[in-house]
Amino acid sequence: MKKRLILLLAAMLLLGGCAASQGKPADNAYEDYIVVGFSQVGAESDWRNANTRSMQQALSAENGYRLIIDDAQQKQERQITAIRNFIHQGVDYIVLAPTTEQGWDTVLAEAKAAQIPVIIVDRRIDVADEGLFACWIGSDFRLQGDTAVRWMEENLAGQPLQIVHLQGNYGSSAQIGRTESLDIGVAANPGWTLAARDSGDFTQAKGQELVEAYLAGGIGFNLIFAENDNMAYGAIDALKKNGLVPGKDVTIISFDANRTALQMVMKGEISFDVECNPLHGPRVQAVIEQLERGETPPKFTFVEESAFGAEGLTEEIIDSRGY
Ligand code: AHR
């Protein structure tokens, strides 16, 4: 397993500006490190940045790793190129946080042919042969969506809802799962209608842009179902700019439960926030250690997650959280 890195410097040049290597072990010490190529979706959200930090902290030089991160700027083609570069470099492991579920068969077959184990984190992939990856660790996005919809049913019962739905990037598990739940909720609740729906790509700027456009277009709504915190922040900015009070005039439902968002839950601006846990670094580290010992990690690991309304939420709880 421990091929270790021979061509690291040359390959880092190949990756150019997109790759960032963590730490700086002495040049003659590369063979002592486990080299991991991490293809990250991008930096579209606070969640994503917390996820990158978690990987950097766990797969650090102090822990015996050489981590090469490639930021794909939310583009699957860039991820495919990054994986090919990692293969060319001869890294020991590839970690992939996929943009979308489809389109990975060919490049992962190439990684398999090169005998490089691939660990999938966060979103799922849909491949014909599950032998193309060692294991997956991430969230149950459908459960997250169902949790949000259940809260709406229990807390807004009997109120007609005109819903603005801010979706994540299409084809990602986070978007697919959360959208499925809302669709089922809308079909099951006669008083709920979809006033508008579009992808805000999980970014604050697009969340704001969309809500501003809906308001300018005269679309009436009283609830925003934002598929992540950053789009919720953008939506809140748009509402305030237009003299509307988030949490009063418009109920906001969100996902991720970052610290900033939980402060907004305490203030009543966001009514309910479903956790999506980004702290996968130590989980990936544990999997690599298992693989190094010749053990087989569980194929699929769902992380445990919670959800937050204002009731019972305190500064201490928020401060104690890892992101
Ligand atoms: O896949 C996890 C999602 O991706 C998070 O909800 C979102 O914030 C991120 O960009």
Side-chain angles (χ1 to χ4, degrees):
M1 185 66 68
K2 295 194 178 185
K3 292 185 268 24
R4 304 297 176 254
L5 202 62
I6 298 158
L7 295 174
L8 177 69
L9 292 176
M12 280 174 67
L13 287 175
L14 264 177
L15 275 168
C18 286
S21 186
Q22 303 307 308
K24 180 82 180 82
D27 284 352
N28 62 359
Y30 290 140
E31 63 273 17
D32 296 333
Y33 287 78
I34 296 175
V35 182
V36 178
F38 176 33
S39 171
Q40 176 60 293
V41 168
E44 75 281 5
S45 64
D46 294 348
W47 186 100
R48 188 64 55 198
N49 295 335
N51 177 246
T52 301
R53 279 197 301 277
S54 172
M55 297 288 289
Q56 288 169 324
Q57 281 159 11
L59 305 183
S60 62
E62 297 71 46
N63 290 341
Y65 291 89
R66 185 82 178 155
L67 178 63
I68 308 164
I69 302 180
D70 184 273
D71 174 344
Q73 298 171 33
Q74 286 197 281
K75 301 226 171 8
Q76 186 183 36
E77 319 83 76
R78 285 179 183 255
Q79 293 205 281
I80 290 172
T81 303
I83 292 170
R84 292 206 166 112
N85 282 330
F86 293 148
I87 295 170
H88 184 73
Q89 287 171 264
V91 300
D92 297 306
Y93 295 91
I94 291 172
V95 179
L96 168 64
T99 45
T100 52
E101 293 190 351
Q102 305 294 327
W104 300 103
D105 298 75
T106 306
V107 75
L108 293 194
E110 291 167 26
K112 191 174 183 184
Q115 298 184 307
I116 301 174
V118 175
I119 299 160
I120 311 291
V121 288
D122 174 25
R123 303 167 185 176
R124 300 283 285 260
I125 57 169
D126 185 3
V127 282
D129 171 11
E130 289 189 340
L132 292 179
F133 59 96
C135 62
W136 167 88
I137 304 162
S139 299
D140 187 335
F141 297 105
R142 179 59 201 282
L143 178 65
Q144 293 175 358
D146 289 350
T147 304
V149 168
R150 198 174 52 244
W151 184 91
M152 288 160 62
E153 288 173 339
E154 288 173 1
N155 291 272
L156 307 172
Q159 294 178 34
L161 298 181
Q162 291 89 42
I163 303 168
V164 155
H165 182 192
L166 303 178
Q167 299 172 284
N169 67 288
Y170 292 134
S172 65
S173 310
Q175 177 272 316
I176 293 169
R178 294 165 189 170
T179 294
E180 265 175 14
S181 299
L182 183 61
D183 282 347
I184 292 169
V186 169
N189 290 275
W192 296 10
T193 50
L194 267 185
R197 140 182 295 179
D198 220 323
S199 173
D201 277 339
F202 289 122
T203 70
Q204 183 161 344
K206 285 199 184 161
Q208 178 167 355
E209 218 173 86
L210 286 173
V211 174
E212 279 177 4
Y214 299 146
L215 290 168
I219 291 174
F221 57 90
N222 58 5
L223 185 138
I224 295 177
F225 187 95
E227 286 186 1
N228 83 340
D229 282 343
N230 286 82
M231 292 191 294
Y233 304 157
I236 287 170
D237 289 344
L239 293 175
K240 286 182 175 170
K241 222 170 127 183
N242 283 272
L244 294 165
V245 182
K248 247 179 147 198
D249 298 319
V250 179
T251 301
I252 316 271
I253 307 293
S254 187
F255 295 84
D256 287 352
N258 290 304
R259 278 207 195 100
T260 308
L262 291 182
Q263 295 288 352
M264 292 175 171
V265 172
M266 284 232 305
K267 280 202 274 175
E269 292 185 333
I270 294 176
S271 295
F272 192 61
D273 205 325
V274 183
E275 178 185 17
C276 183
N277 189 307
L279 307 180
H280 296 317
R283 300 176 185 124
V284 170
Q285 185 187 356
V287 161
I288 292 177
E289 282 166 12
Q290 277 182 294
L291 291 167
E292 288 282 307
R293 291 194 297 269
E295 295 166 12
T296 307
K299 193 79 184 179
F300 297 98
T301 303
F302 289 95
V303 300
E304 274 190 36
E305 292 169 332
S306 180
F308 302 88
E311 207 182 324
L313 190 58
T314 61
E315 291 287 354
E316 292 71 46
I317 293 175
I318 298 174
D319 287 348
S320 69
R321 295 178 56 76
Y323 53 98

